[in-house]
Amino acid sequence: MATLSKPSLSINHDHNKKVGKVVVTGKITFTEFEMNQIKEGLKFKLKCALWGDDSGLTGADDHLYTLSSKYLPDASPSAVENYKFEVTLGEGVLDEDWGTDEVYAKVKLVNLYTLVAITKNSNIVAHSF
């Protein structure tokens, strides 16, 4: 199966506008076998969601927002594909608990033929939104 590098999450907070510009970047490396299958029409779906790192009452992390999925590869596939998700969100979406918020991105790559998936979490951004 392809490999996902650890995604990188950055959030640029604009206090005046009360929004945060979220950027998630990373890299996917396809195997030689997958590259041959891609030439025959194999596609992958890349999903990205923002989560609040939480150990609260239930210990479960909080789902904050799902970004639009991407389908890979594009018209000119290569063994290494870079990806970037961008969205601007209101503070209320990123404000996942009282005090300092801990936000991370979860990226999931799904083989659309076998439905095998791999998931990687990004760094955690700690900030008060």
Side-chain angles (χ1 to χ4, degrees):
M1 179 70 181
T3 57
L4 283 172
S5 65
K6 183 174 181 172
S8 175
L9 169 67
S10 66
I11 304 174
N12 185 5
H13 188 195
D14 185 329
H15 294 278
N16 294 329
K17 294 182 181 177
K18 299 184 187 262
V19 297
K21 181 177 181 185
V22 176
V23 178
V24 179
T25 58
K27 179 174 65 172
I28 303 164
T29 305
F30 295 106
T31 66
E32 186 176 334
F33 177 76
E34 288 167 333
M35 286 304 297
N36 288 328
Q37 294 298 304
I38 286 168
K39 291 174 187 171
E40 298 297 320
L42 175 63
K43 294 285 186 189
F44 291 82
K45 185 175 186 178
L46 186 64
K47 301 177 180 185
C48 183
L50 299 177
W51 290 81
D53 187 40
D54 218 353
S55 60
L57 295 173
T58 65
D61 291 349
D62 302 317
H63 177 261
L64 304 177
Y65 186 81
T66 300
L67 291 86
S68 295
S69 296
K70 298 179 182 292
Y71 291 89
L72 301 168
D74 60 13
S76 54
S78 64
V80 177
E81 294 277 336
N82 294 308
Y83 63 84
K84 184 176 189 177
F85 291 93
E86 292 182 278
V87 67
T88 300
L89 300 170
E91 290 176 338
V93 175
L94 300 169
D95 185 2
E96 55 96 23
D97 61 13
W98 293 292
T100 301
D101 304 297
E102 301 85 14
V103 178
Y104 68 93
K106 183 178 288 191
V107 177
K108 182 177 187 177
L109 180 69
V110 181
N111 178 315
L112 293 179
Y113 179 72
T114 64
L115 299 182
V116 172
I118 55 173
T119 304
K120 286 276 187 177
N121 292 347
S122 74
N123 56 299
I124 295 174
V125 173
H127 187 77
S128 293
F129 294 100

